[in-house]
């Protein structure tokens, strides 16, 4: 079993794993996995066999934003539309 990094090391790291995101945000693993599969959480992966790495700061902010949208009662399709509009506006 892999040894977990300390929270201090995670907070100082530029990139984190999905498990470390769970620890940082107290979000459920399945929720973060779903958001990743839906394209809501961008990640880096140098090789197909390697673990996905997420940019820590921007991903924690994105998770907080997704939580806010869900708390406002937005559905997943609505969130997808909002994120797409924001992406197009920033191009």
């Amino acid at each position: 079993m892999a040894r977990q990094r300390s929270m201090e090391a995670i907070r100082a790291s530029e990139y984190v794993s999905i498990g470390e995101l769970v620890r940082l945000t107290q979000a459920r693993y399945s929720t973060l996995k779903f958001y990743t599969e839906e394209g809501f959480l961008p990640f880096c992966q140098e090789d197909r066999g390697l673990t996905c790495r997420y940019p820590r700061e921007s991903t924690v902010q994105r998770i907080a934003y997704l939580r806010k949208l869900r708390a406002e009662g937005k559905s997943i399709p609505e969130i997808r539309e909002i994120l797409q509009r924001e992406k197009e506006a920033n191009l």
Side-chain angles (χ1 to χ4, degrees), residues 35 65-77 79:
Y35 286 161
Y65 181 53
L66 293 170
R67 283 181 164 161
K68 176 184 168 284
L69 293 173
R70 292 296 285 156
E72 292 173 358
K74 303 286 191 241
S75 68
I76 294 301
I79 291 172

Side-chain angles (χ1 to χ4, degrees), residues 19-30:
E20 291 168 342
L21 278 175
V22 168
R23 292 174 63 198
L24 282 171
T25 64
Q26 276 74 59
R28 293 177 54 176
Y29 177 90
S30 59

Side-chain angles (χ1 to χ4, degrees), residues 4-50:
Q4 287 187 348
R5 294 195 297 172
S6 69
M7 285 301 287
E8 182 178 295
I10 293 169
R11 286 188 183 106
S13 199
E14 185 177 354
Y15 291 93
V16 295
S17 69
I18 193 168
E20 291 168 342
L21 278 175
V22 168
R23 292 174 63 198
L24 282 171
T25 64
Q26 276 74 59
R28 293 177 54 176
Y29 177 90
S30 59
T31 300
L32 298 181
K33 187 75 171 161
F34 175 78
Y35 286 161
T36 298
E37 291 169 355
E38 290 295 313
F40 296 171
L41 298 178
F43 63 90
C44 303
Q45 189 173 16
E46 292 179 15
D47 194 5
R48 287 188 350 180
L50 297 177

